[in-house]
Amino acid sequence: MNILEKLKMQKKEPDEDKAPKVEVPVHWLETSDSVTLRYEFEPDGYLSVKVVNDSRPVYHRVVESFLNKFFPSGYPYSVNEGYLRYTQFRALQHLSSAALSVLSTQSLLFAAGLRPTPAQATAVSWILKDGMQHMGKLICSNLGARMDSEPKRWRILADVLYDLGTGLEVLSPLCPHLFLEVAGLGNFAKGMAVVAARATRLPIYSSFAKEGNLSDLFAKGEAISTLFNVVGIGVGIQLAATLCSSMQGKLVVGPLLSIVHVYSVVEEMRAAPVNTLNPQRTAMIVADFLKTGKVSGPADLRYREDLLFPGRLIEDAGNVKVGRALHKVVKPSKLNEWKEMFPEEKFVLSHGNKWCDMLLEHNATAEDALRGWLVAAFAARMEKSLNEPIGSVLQDAYDRMNTMFTPFLSELQAKGWHTDRFLDGTGSRFVF
């Protein structure tokens, strides 16, 4: 072996003796608010987070744990305004409702000739069903379009029906000979309430979903409901064994729980910024725009909505009424005249003495409804200020609407309103 070969072998030997290279996992520490977290990328690419040091007071840690379990990830930045108030009253609603349910079931068993303990009442409250409840569900299921248009109103109505049914059950011991009739009617009302409550749940949750996190919102909302239902059952058991062990006690406590229940639902609905366009919200948007030149967002209108009588006319928005049948409000000659004047539009306006009817084609969107509403509002203002017949100002009102509609629509969408569909309930639409 020559000298050159020996030198080559000496160079290779150190390389061969080196240990295999070990990859060090990428990790780092972050400290914030007395909490040190260790972030590390796992071999599979996922990011793991571990608490290294937490020197916060115990109550801070408890609060954070509660928020993680019962509030959406990223709260409060991942939800729209009003979610906390909605959740607070939702918890109170479920607590009072569960307590009232225990009392009603105890009364039903008493009316049936049993002497149930509070624990028995709680157990059978989950299985006490009959055909009347299913009939109530079937009837209420036909009203889905109305619930889409006014979810807040139907959510309140659902809980009023539920309390009405529960109240009948509480009163059943006063007429044991009519047990089946009273219990059946109570379950009928509760069946309708169940369908209305479930049908309106999605639009309400959707109004808070700020980052497409609807599933997270729904899951955490159900966690809140379950927790306070359990607490409410506990409260109901305690009341059934003490204050409500007699019929007199139930007659006092029952209405109080019902009042708390309905009040909580009303406050829940007032806090929800529903962002779909229906007749009431559209009228309020148009009225605010004509008065101030600004477009109101869902959060601006939530406390001004009429939850019980949403069909009221708003004078500043042209007193527009939507959804009446075409043959009842427009003569054939007037319809042809309108279509010749505005052939591209998917709405028809018919002015009467007290209000203006707006009729929409079957495929009209919220944009078409907004266009029609603005024309009606501008025409009403011109008629009032210029003292001219409504027919002579329609073209001017239409031109004015076209001038400002594009920036108006852009601002509307920027505020978070959905303009792809107009929810007019069971309003009639027409097709040529």
Side-chain angles (χ1 to χ4, degrees):
M1 184 181 293
N2 58 31
I3 297 175
L4 184 60
E5 291 176 344
K6 288 182 179 180
L7 290 173
K8 288 181 178 179
M9 291 182 66
Q10 289 175 358
K11 289 181 179 178
K12 291 180 179 178
E13 286 174 359
D15 294 335
E16 293 172 356
D17 294 339
K18 282 184 178 179
K21 187 178 180 181
V22 178
E23 292 188 4
V24 179
V26 178
H27 70 276
W28 67 93
L29 299 178
E30 291 186 7
T31 302
S32 177
D33 296 332
S34 304
V35 181
T36 302
L37 301 175
R38 185 178 191 272
Y39 294 84
E40 180 179 327
F41 281 108
E42 302 289 351
D44 56 6
Y46 286 97
L47 180 66
S48 66
V49 183
K50 296 180 181 178
V51 179
V52 178
N53 180 41
D54 191 348
S55 58
R56 295 176 301 170
V58 174
Y59 72 90
H60 280 177
R61 283 179 273 173
V62 171
V63 169
E64 182 179 348
S65 177
F66 179 84
L67 290 176
N68 290 337
K69 288 180 174 61
F70 295 101
F71 282 76
S73 299
Y75 175 84
Y77 307 106
S78 60
V79 297
N80 283 317
E81 184 180 351
Y83 182 74
L84 178 60
R85 184 175 178 84
Y86 169 83
T87 303
Q88 290 170 336
F89 282 102
R90 181 173 175 80
L92 184 59
Q93 168 216 338
H94 281 283
L95 190 151
S96 57
S97 175
L100 191 59
S101 178
V102 173
L103 300 184
S104 70
T105 306
Q106 186 192 39
S107 294
L108 282 174
L109 295 177
F110 187 88
L114 302 176
R115 295 296 181 268
T117 64
Q120 290 171 328
T122 306
V124 299
S125 66
W126 299 95
I127 59 174
L128 189 62
K129 307 288 183 183
D130 57 30
M132 289 296 289
Q133 188 174 48
H134 296 298
M135 186 177 293
K137 290 180 178 180
L138 288 173
I139 292 176
C140 195
S141 64
N142 294 324
L143 304 174
R146 297 176 186 268
M147 297 177 198
D148 274 332
S149 179
E150 292 290 346
K152 293 185 177 184
R153 181 192 187 195
W154 280 92
R155 185 66 181 85
I156 294 172
L157 181 60
D159 284 270
V160 171
L161 283 171
Y162 188 89
D163 284 0
L164 177 62
T166 305
L168 287 172
E169 293 174 348
V170 170
L171 295 175
S172 59
L174 298 178
C175 47
H177 58 290
L178 297 175
F179 171 75
L180 289 178
E181 291 83 352
V182 173
L185 188 58
N187 267 345
F188 177 80
K190 290 169 75 171
M192 294 187 68
V194 167
V195 172
R198 290 176 179 172
T200 55
R201 191 177 304 167
L202 187 59
I204 299 301
Y205 277 132
S206 298
S207 68
F208 290 111
K210 190 176 182 180
E211 300 176 349
N213 53 342
L214 183 58
S215 296
D216 193 18
L217 274 165
F218 190 86
K220 298 302 170 57
E222 293 306 294
I224 289 282
S225 302
T226 302
L227 172 64
F228 282 91
N229 270 326
V230 172
V231 175
I233 289 174
V235 172
I237 292 173
Q238 186 63 30
L239 288 172
T242 54
L243 295 176
C244 300
S245 57
S246 64
M247 193 63 200
Q248 290 81 358
K250 289 188 181 71
L251 292 176
V252 174
V253 175
L256 291 177
L257 287 174
S258 183
I259 290 172
V260 171
H261 182 212
V262 174
Y263 171 74
S264 300
V265 176
V266 171
E267 290 301 314
E268 278 181 58
M269 296 303 102
R270 283 165 57 83
V274 176
N275 51 8
T276 52
L277 291 175
N278 66 356
Q280 179 180 198
R281 287 188 283 274
T282 303
M284 295 169 71
I285 290 170
V286 171
D288 290 349
F289 180 69
L290 295 187
K291 285 191 291 185
T292 66
K294 298 180 180 179
V295 176
S296 300
D300 302 323
L301 300 185
R302 55 186 174 147
Y303 287 109
R304 293 165 48 196
E305 288 185 75
D306 191 333
L307 301 182
L308 298 181
F309 304 102
R312 63 187 177 90
L313 300 176
I314 298 179
E315 184 177 357
D316 291 329
N319 284 331
V320 176
K321 181 178 288 190
V322 183
R324 296 180 70 197
L326 182 67
H327 69 276
K328 293 183 178 179
V329 296
V330 180
K331 295 179 180 179
S333 58
K334 292 289 184 181
L335 183 61
N336 291 333
E337 180 183 330
W338 175 270
K339 295 306 293 182
E340 289 174 1
M341 186 182 301
F342 309 116
E344 302 299 324
E345 297 299 339
K346 296 182 179 180
F347 63 86
V348 172
L349 298 177
S350 176
H351 289 82
N353 295 328
K354 296 182 179 180
W355 63 76
C356 171
D357 282 292
M358 182 170 70
L359 301 102
L360 299 171
E361 288 192 25
H362 73 289
N363 59 346
T365 64
E367 294 184 23
D368 298 307
L370 286 164
R371 292 173 67 85
W373 218 297
L374 284 171
V375 171
F378 284 140
R381 282 198 162 198
M382 293 177 180
E383 179 191 25
K384 190 174 182 180
S385 60
L386 302 177
N387 198 22
E388 294 185 9
I390 197 73
S392 62
V393 298
L394 270 177
Q395 186 62 56
D396 291 337
Y398 183 77
D399 294 338
R400 188 173 179 185
M401 179 275 295
N402 274 330
T403 301
M404 59 180 57
F405 185 75
T406 299
F408 169 73
L409 182 63
S410 299
E411 180 67 16
L412 199 76
Q413 293 170 339
K415 290 283 187 177
W417 292 104
H418 293 307
T419 58
D420 56 337
R421 186 183 174 197
F422 183 69
L423 302 175
D424 50 358
T426 57
S428 298
R429 294 200 176 192
F430 65 92
V431 180
F432 285 111

